[in-house]
Each structure stands twice: as structure tokens, then as C-alpha cells.
Amino acid sequence: MIVAATGHRPNSIFYKNLNGYQIETKTKLRWFIIDVLKKLNPSVVISGMALGFDTGIAEAAIELEIPLWAYVPFKGQESMWPQHTQIEYKELLNKATKVNIISPGEYSAEKMHIRNKFLVDDCELLIALYNGSKIGGTAHCVRYAEMIKCETKNVWND
């Protein structure tokens, strides 16, 4: 089964209680995601490669030796991130089985939505770390998945 992931950025997920884990660090987030992936046993994980849940699931897939498909919205998406996260991002891309640059050119918010559409279209199950907010990229991605009737598992309250 091919699973894709969408979820909130670090400032929205850290210090939240998820499935018995008090998420305080990136490491604990990865433990939570590893637990989710072990239960699902996917053949491939697709990540949109944004900071937060996306890069967390990418790290977990690599650790579990599940093929990672990195769906990057545009080349250089990491250029404004802190230096240490840029290095980690590039290491993840180097370990990915497939890297798909979705749109040409520089940043635009629309490119994030286009990336999300591609990853939902290419998966059999969307894993969402979604707090129910009506705005933002995660909300937009979940709504698109619901619209096309893509099976979605929200792990926020699992």
C-alpha cells in the first residue's frame, strides 16, 4: 500500500499529546510516526518534505527501510529554513528512492497545493496529522483527499 502524509508544521504539533506521546522533540515525533507506520506496514511512503510531520515521516520511512518518494513543491523550498534543517532535508532527499520536483520556479503558496494534489492522487491512503483547523495547507490537503474519496486516516487523536 502506498501511503502519503500531510500534517502540521513544528509550531502546531510540538507539545501536543498524540497517542500517549507528549510531543516535545523531533525525536519523539519520529517515535510516534514509526508506531503509525509499523501498524500500517506501507510499501511506499510519499512525503511533501515540509518541516514538521512531512520530514518526520520521511525520516521514519528511511529508518524503517520503507521506500520514500519525496514530492518537493519546487526546487529550493528549504532555502529559507534554518541551516541545520536544510542539511537534514538534503540528506533525506539523498536517501529517497524517488524525488519528484512538482513545479518549476520559486515559491508560491499555490505550489504547495499542487504538490499536495500530486501526493494524494498517487497514494492509496493519506495519513494526516490534522488538528481540525479550517485553514492552512493540511486542511486544504485533507479536503482535497475527501473530495476525491481518497481514504484518509487522521492520527491526531489516535
Side-chain angles (χ1 to χ4, degrees):
M1 166 183 25
I2 298 172
V3 301
T6 188
H8 298 295
R9 303 301 162 252
N11 62 334
S12 297
I13 58 177
F14 290 172
Y15 304 104
K16 303 292 184 191
N17 189 320
L18 301 170
N19 203 20
Y21 294 100
Q22 186 67 28
I23 304 300
E24 297 173 347
T25 67
K26 192 170 105 174
T27 301
K28 289 183 181 180
L29 175 62
R30 192 168 67 239
W31 292 341
F32 172 74
I33 297 168
I34 285 171
D35 187 50
V36 169
L37 289 178
K38 282 182 176 178
K39 289 175 184 172
L40 294 173
N41 193 29
S43 57
V44 171
V45 170
I46 303 173
S47 171
M49 300 303 294
L51 287 176
F53 190 63
D54 291 13
T55 51
I57 204 159
E59 290 171 352
I62 289 167
E63 186 170 326
L64 294 171
E65 299 181 352
I66 302 167
L68 170 65
W69 295 354
Y71 281 30
V72 178
F74 59 93
K75 191 173 182 168
Q77 90 161 330
E78 78 289 0
S79 64
M80 300 302 288
W81 299 354
Q83 185 66 33
H84 73 280
T85 58
Q86 290 184 41
I87 292 167
E88 292 169 355
Y89 173 84
K90 289 174 184 168
E91 289 172 358
L92 288 172
L93 290 182
N94 286 333
K95 293 176 182 177
T97 306
K98 174 181 171 181
V99 177
N100 189 0
I101 309 293
I102 302 299
S103 299
E106 297 178 353
Y107 171 83
S108 79
E110 183 60 24
K111 290 179 183 178
M112 305 302 182
H113 298 309
I114 294 168
R115 182 262 330 267
N116 289 346
K117 180 182 181 300
F118 271 80
L119 67 86
V120 169
D121 288 345
D122 289 351
C123 78
E124 296 166 281
L125 171 68
L126 178 67
I127 302 169
L129 184 62
Y130 175 49
N131 66 9
S133 170
K134 302 296 182 205
I135 59 171
T138 301
H140 185 270
C141 188
V142 168
R143 280 195 303 270
Y144 175 73
E146 291 170 348
M147 183 183 79
I148 68 163
K149 300 192 182 340
C150 175
E151 183 180 356
T152 302
K153 177 175 179 53
N154 186 0
V155 297
W156 185 264
N157 291 315
D158 272 7

